[in-house]
Amino acid sequence: MSNPDELLVGIAALVESGQSNRMSLTVVTGGAVITGRLAPEDVWRGRVSEVLKDSEHLGPFAGIFLAGRSKDREHREDHEHREGRDEAPTHLHFHLARILQGNVGIPETGGMYRVAIEDVSAWTMGDFSYSDH
């Protein structure tokens, strides 16, 4: 979408403000259906970093997700306060999320996905679950 959906931006902003971390959402982006729970970006980055840090081969990438995180946020908040405006979120950060393919959600245990709001072509509240029954 060339103009991000205002409702979706509002949902992302509420999640980023820390007022809600229980929002489940399903989005269509690039032909893929992703369903899961939204997390604030800082929380998402921390969780991704933890997973990478425990990997023998991917451990060196863990720091990228944490580098300058708090310092950048403090600088942004100070600048936004002086400017009198808040910057709208540009991405959704999913955890416990799955890509739906047929009647299967992958990975079964849930993954961590970052989706640009402007790339979302459709969305709905809640997540989809499949059962073998």
Side-chain angles (χ1 to χ4, degrees), residues 72-91:
D72 288 347
R73 177 165 289 242
E74 287 172 12
H75 175 71
R76 247 189 352 257
E77 288 173 354
D78 182 47
H79 178 71
E80 290 167 1
H81 178 70
R82 285 194 313 259
E83 294 291 320
R85 62 176 174 79
D86 290 334
E87 192 173 312
T90 58
H91 290 78

Side-chain angles (χ1 to χ4, degrees), residues 57-75:
H57 300 289
L58 301 176
F61 292 97
I64 294 170
F65 288 87
L66 298 178
R69 184 173 65 161
S70 298
K71 185 178 179 183
D72 288 347
R73 177 165 289 242
E74 287 172 12
H75 175 71

Side-chain angles (χ1 to χ4, degrees), residues 110-126:
M112 309 290 283
Y113 298 99
R114 176 178 161 114
V115 176
I117 293 173
E118 69 181 16
D119 292 339
V120 173
S121 58
W123 61 275
T124 189
M125 306 297 284

Side-chain angles (χ1 to χ4, degrees), residues 17-67:
S17 73
Q19 294 182 40
S20 173
N21 65 352
R22 308 277 304 162
M23 173 56 72
S24 293
L25 198 68
T26 299
V27 300
V28 177
T29 180
V33 178
I34 299 175
T35 188
R37 189 180 299 168
L38 295 177
E41 182 176 2
D42 276 353
V43 171
W44 182 86
R45 285 175 172 257
R47 289 182 179 161
V48 171
S49 178
E50 287 173 16
V51 170
L52 293 174
K53 162 174 84 170
D54 292 339
S55 168
E56 179 181 341
H57 300 289
L58 301 176
F61 292 97
I64 294 170
F65 288 87
L66 298 178

